[in-house]
Amino acid sequence: MHKFHGEAEHMRDNRLKELFGAGETVVNAWVSADSAYLAETLSHAGFDSVTVDLQHGMFGLDGAVRLLQAVSAGPAVPLARTPALDAAVIGKLLDAGAYGIICPAVDDPVQAARFVAMCRYPPAGVRSYGPARANLAQVPGYVGRADAQILTWAMIESRAALDAVEEIASTPGLDGVFVGPNDLALALGVEPGLAVPPPEVEAALARIAGAAHAAGRIAGAFALGTEAALRLTGQGYDFVTPGGDMAILRRAAAEAVAAVRGTAVTTAPSGGY
């Protein structure tokens, strides 16, 4: 851990680390809409964390910064999904105040090691100095404590990643793996977006959780709703997202309309990752 002259250790602790350490299941929200109001609302809704999705979200990097600010206005821990294994974007998201990064398409331990390095300051990594909003919000002591507070998840969503999941999970400095079940389904040649995943995906989910826990890492995944999230927790997943923002909104809207009309609930596929 870095420590510089005159720098006190006052960076806000990452509450997720405490929850994971206590064996709690962390419930995460997912933001894909370009709405700071929505992001702030989710932060106050009881979720432990809120992830700003820069890969598939309907906003760019500037929008992601505003959304991280909005999440930070509430009690949830702000996280971000980077669109790619890109040091510049990852650094920008961390500088904007993200306390953890979910990285898509990590297919092997070499890429996993590169990802970890992008999230750590030298000598442990290659993150460039310039904490900007992160330092503005948590001074003093950000740089000295950031490496110990920032969480890193490598996404397992390809056949190559699944084949190498044990090695990826064992990457030094990596905190966890995160499953994109629909991309993984496509990679395995089965239908994505099903309420109950095909057997191939269920087996992969079990293998990924086992690999994560064998390596002492966090097992995380995106779920298509609360029932799917409960199946994940039953498989031992520590970090679950029970649907994205738009899926939750559409489901609640459909239920309200159906209740007033006295009809069955009908919703379009909810999407997911």
Side-chain angles (χ1 to χ4, degrees), residues 22-266:
E24 299 287 337
T25 299
V26 169
V27 186
N28 175 62
W30 202 268
V31 176
S32 62
D34 189 6
S35 170
Y37 182 28
L38 175 58
E40 185 177 9
T41 298
L42 288 172
S43 187
H44 285 281
F47 291 99
D48 299 305
S49 57
V50 177
T51 297
V52 173
D53 181 15
L54 193 53
Q55 183 184 22
H56 290 297
M58 296 294 100
F59 45 80
L61 190 52
D62 287 349
V65 173
R66 290 192 296 272
L67 294 171
L68 287 167
Q69 289 176 303
V71 175
S72 299
V77 177
L79 307 175
R81 176 162 71 168
T82 177
L85 185 60
D86 185 317
V89 175
I90 289 172
K92 190 89 164 182
L93 291 168
L94 293 174
D95 291 345
Y99 266 67
I101 299 291
I102 299 170
C103 184
V106 176
D107 291 334
D108 58 52
V110 173
Q111 292 178 338
R114 287 177 57 208
F115 166 51
V116 171
M118 291 174 187
C119 297
R120 309 290 185 231
Y121 286 117
V126 297
R127 180 181 173 187
S128 176
Y129 179 85
R133 180 182 170 270
N135 201 36
L136 176 70
Q138 287 100 33
V139 292
Y142 177 84
V143 174
R145 300 194 65 211
D147 286 4
Q149 297 299 324
I150 300 301
L151 288 165
T152 54
W153 285 273
M155 289 196 72
I156 306 299
E157 49 188 352
S158 70
R159 187 177 292 276
L162 181 61
D163 290 343
V165 66
E166 289 80 11
E167 291 79 11
I168 291 171
S170 299
T171 301
L174 186 71
D175 292 293
V177 294
F178 191 93
V179 187
N182 288 334
D183 279 326
L184 186 57
L186 287 171
L188 296 177
V190 296
E191 185 177 355
L194 297 178
V196 178
E200 296 88 341
V201 176
E202 284 286 296
L205 286 166
R207 176 179 174 182
I208 292 165
H213 293 153
R217 305 295 193 258
I218 302 160
F222 190 95
L224 297 178
T226 53
E227 291 184 7
L230 288 172
R231 283 197 300 275
L232 289 171
T233 59
Q235 288 181 303
Y237 277 80
D238 318 284
F239 179 51
V240 296
T241 302
D245 51 355
M246 291 299 97
I248 291 171
L249 176 60
R250 291 171 65 185
R251 185 164 57 246
E255 289 171 355
V257 171
V260 173
R261 290 180 175 166
T263 58
V265 177
T266 57

